[in-house]
Amino acid sequence: MKNQSISQNIDWISIIIYIVLVIMGWLNIYSSSLSNVGEDSSILDFSQVYGKQFLFILFTIPIIFIVLFVDAKFYEKFSIVIFAISILSLLGLFAFGKVIAGQRCWYAIGSFTLQPSEFAKAATALALAKYLSDVQINLKEVNRQVQVLLIVMLPVMLILPQPDPGSALIYSIFFVVLFREGMPGWYLLTGFIAILLFVLTLVTNNPYIVIGITVVILAINYFKSRIVDRNIIASAILLVMISSFSFSVNYVFNNVFKQHHRDRFNILLGKEVDLKGVGYNTNQSEIAIGSGGLFGKGYLEGTQTKGGFVPEQHTDYIFTTVGEEWGFAGCIFVIGLFVGLILRIIYLAERQKTKFSRVYGYCVAAILFIHFFVNIAMVIGVFPTIGVPLPFFSYGGSGLWGFTVLLFIFLKMDANKVNEW
């Protein structure tokens, strides 16, 4: 099939939403950082974060053209090579990475920094799509499950020691894609149960209570089950595993987690209230969003924003500016844009002619969703602060470029409707 014109076939709905999100992101970055400079400062002052972000946005234009210019089949043919380069870039951080705020996540390039983990998401999605597009792949087989888990976990094992738990968390969303492609559902169920047991143990501060609840549930299941012999063995194994996990929670929490991680979980669970310390950001974020009311205080009129009460508001907490200056209506509009983009990508993924482009499309939608969901949940105080940026909104060139590459690779695939090799 001959490739038709990109301008005719590309999904302009997705591009329009993307442009609106990027523009709104810059407007809010400008507003959130304006309190630190004089009123007569130039919009193109590249010494300020809004000037740098404007420059990052300009750089996305050639990036988009390059991504769209490359033949769509290139991304499938060289997906493993791209993934390998991405892994090497993560490895290189341990030797050449720049430490910022205790994290070795960036390469320093003059006065700018580049974060390879932001691009590793697209590379992992390509590798995963390539592996799953093999006609011989059956995710019901244990050896296939091990292989696909290695693809997902390899970048995670390199990102966690940086340490960057926020970026590592993003990779958990790939399990939803794997479930969609045939991996047994017990993986997701196990993850959900583990999270539930972890939280319950922290809340009760007593693993015996959690184990007691488990015993009751297993007992009810035992007496209802007709397969008595099999149920005894399965129940015994399950009880031992849950007990071991529950007893290990406190040790991991107290000896593996860093103090600021423990503080954030304790505040979230209501065990500690430190409004002047680690809980300051979240508390001020909630105040800022709540003060916006229905329609907000008006653009550039946010008193919490202008007063600089929310530290680093232009990065992970950028949504607070939306809430204060644009109000509830503005928040719903932004959330609607993200939901619309994600649903549009899922729709496009469903109409793909190849499994490779379909799986990659699902990965794009999943990555955007977990970033959007976790960031907003973090800002409104229902999720601990772990440093997950809001796509196309939060300040940073690496994040903006990474999400742009992630999205436009898929739009290129959709525009070309790539045939099987």
Side-chain angles (χ1 to χ4, degrees):
M1 182 182 71
K2 294 183 179 180
N3 291 338
Q4 297 178 358
S5 171
I6 289 292
S7 63
Q8 294 177 355
N9 293 327
I10 199 165
D11 186 64
W12 284 102
I13 295 177
S14 298
I15 292 180
I16 291 172
I17 297 175
Y18 164 83
I19 293 173
V20 173
L21 285 171
V22 171
I23 292 174
M24 290 190 68
W26 184 85
L27 289 173
N28 283 277
I29 289 173
Y30 177 76
S31 178
S32 65
S33 57
L34 194 62
S35 59
N36 299 322
V37 296
E39 294 182 357
D40 58 345
S41 297
S42 169
I43 292 178
L44 301 180
D45 184 354
F46 297 127
S47 66
Q48 302 299 327
V49 292
Y50 56 79
K52 293 178 181 178
Q53 187 70 10
F54 185 80
L55 194 61
F56 297 151
I57 293 172
L58 290 181
F59 277 133
T60 62
I61 297 174
I63 290 174
I64 290 171
F65 276 105
I66 291 172
V67 170
L68 295 180
F69 175 79
V70 174
D71 188 87
K73 292 183 179 180
F74 171 88
Y75 299 111
E76 180 175 4
K77 185 176 182 180
F78 293 98
S79 56
I80 302 303
V81 175
I82 295 172
F83 181 66
I85 293 173
S86 176
I87 294 301
L88 290 175
S89 70
L90 292 174
L91 278 169
L93 287 171
F94 295 102
F96 307 106
K98 180 179 181 180
V99 178
I100 301 176
Q103 295 180 308
R104 192 181 294 272
C105 302
W106 297 269
Y107 288 109
I109 305 174
S111 60
F112 293 97
T113 55
L114 194 67
Q115 188 174 3
S117 62
E118 294 294 346
F119 301 93
K121 300 163 193 173
T124 304
L126 286 171
L128 200 60
K130 177 63 176 176
Y131 182 83
L132 294 177
S133 62
D134 190 325
V135 293
Q136 303 299 323
I137 295 298
N138 182 2
L139 289 180
K140 301 295 183 182
E141 300 174 2
V142 176
N143 63 322
R144 297 297 189 185
Q145 294 171 14
V146 172
Q147 291 167 2
V148 80
L149 289 177
L150 284 175
I151 294 175
V152 176
M153 294 307 297
L154 185 55
V156 172
M157 290 185 291
L158 296 176
I159 291 171
L160 275 175
Q162 293 177 1
D164 188 4
S167 294
L169 172 68
I170 299 304
Y171 288 80
S172 63
I173 199 64
F174 284 118
F175 286 94
V176 176
V177 179
L178 293 174
F179 173 72
R180 167 65 177 77
E181 293 302 316
M183 180 170 276
W186 68 265
Y187 279 96
L188 287 178
L189 182 61
T190 301
F192 174 78
I193 293 174
I195 293 172
L196 183 61
L197 288 174
F198 183 86
V199 173
L200 282 176
T201 304
L202 290 181
V203 170
T204 62
N205 203 28
N206 189 339
Y208 290 105
I209 295 178
V210 179
I211 294 172
I213 295 173
T214 304
V215 170
V216 172
I217 295 174
L218 290 177
I220 293 173
N221 182 60
Y222 170 78
F223 287 112
K224 284 186 175 181
S225 176
R226 297 180 180 179
I227 313 176
V228 178
D229 294 336
R230 183 183 299 176
N231 207 46
I232 292 176
I233 298 174
S235 298
I237 294 174
L238 185 60
L239 180 59
V240 170
M241 292 176 63
I242 290 175
S243 300
S244 301
F245 179 83
S246 188
F247 275 111
S248 70
V249 167
N250 285 329
Y251 175 82
V252 171
F253 186 74
N254 293 318
N255 297 279
V256 177
F257 280 26
K258 294 184 181 297
Q259 184 60 47
H260 62 276
H261 293 146
R262 293 196 293 270
D263 291 339
R264 288 166 182 171
F265 270 100
N266 285 332
I267 290 173
L268 181 67
L269 298 175
K271 299 176 71 174
E272 291 182 9
V273 179
D274 182 13
L275 300 183
K276 294 183 179 180
V278 70
Y280 179 80
N281 282 33
T282 301
N283 180 60
Q284 293 298 324
S285 172
E286 292 173 358
I287 292 173
I289 292 176
S291 68
L294 183 59
F295 295 108
K297 298 175 181 177
Y299 185 58
L300 303 179
E301 299 297 329
T303 53
Q304 295 292 118
T305 296
K306 292 295 165 286
F309 289 101
V310 183
E312 301 299 324
Q313 191 170 352
H314 57 283
T315 55
D316 299 337
Y317 282 84
I318 189 64
F319 194 71
T320 61
T321 308
V322 178
E324 183 178 22
E325 298 188 347
W326 304 63
F328 179 76
C331 290
I332 293 299
F333 180 71
V334 172
I335 291 173
L337 287 174
F338 276 108
V339 172
L341 179 61
I342 293 168
L343 291 178
R344 184 65 183 177
I345 293 170
I346 293 174
Y347 166 76
L348 296 178
E350 288 288 348
R351 74 179 191 181
Q352 297 305 301
K353 293 184 177 180
T354 69
K355 189 174 182 180
F356 174 79
S357 54
R358 186 185 77 234
V359 173
Y360 181 78
Y362 287 138
C363 289
V364 174
I367 291 170
L368 291 177
F369 170 78
I370 193 170
H371 266 277
F372 150 74
F373 176 79
V374 171
N375 178 272
I376 293 181
M378 178 185 72
V379 167
I380 63 177
V382 298
F383 206 86
T385 301
I386 53 175
V388 173
L390 186 62
F392 315 120
F393 257 72
S394 294
Y395 169 78
S398 297
L400 177 61
W401 299 336
F403 287 122
T404 298
V405 169
L406 177 77
L407 174 62
F408 277 85
I409 286 177
F410 177 64
L411 294 182
K412 171 67 176 184
M413 293 178 184
D414 177 68
N416 282 85
K417 300 294 188 302
V418 187
N419 289 323
E420 295 284 357
W421 285 85

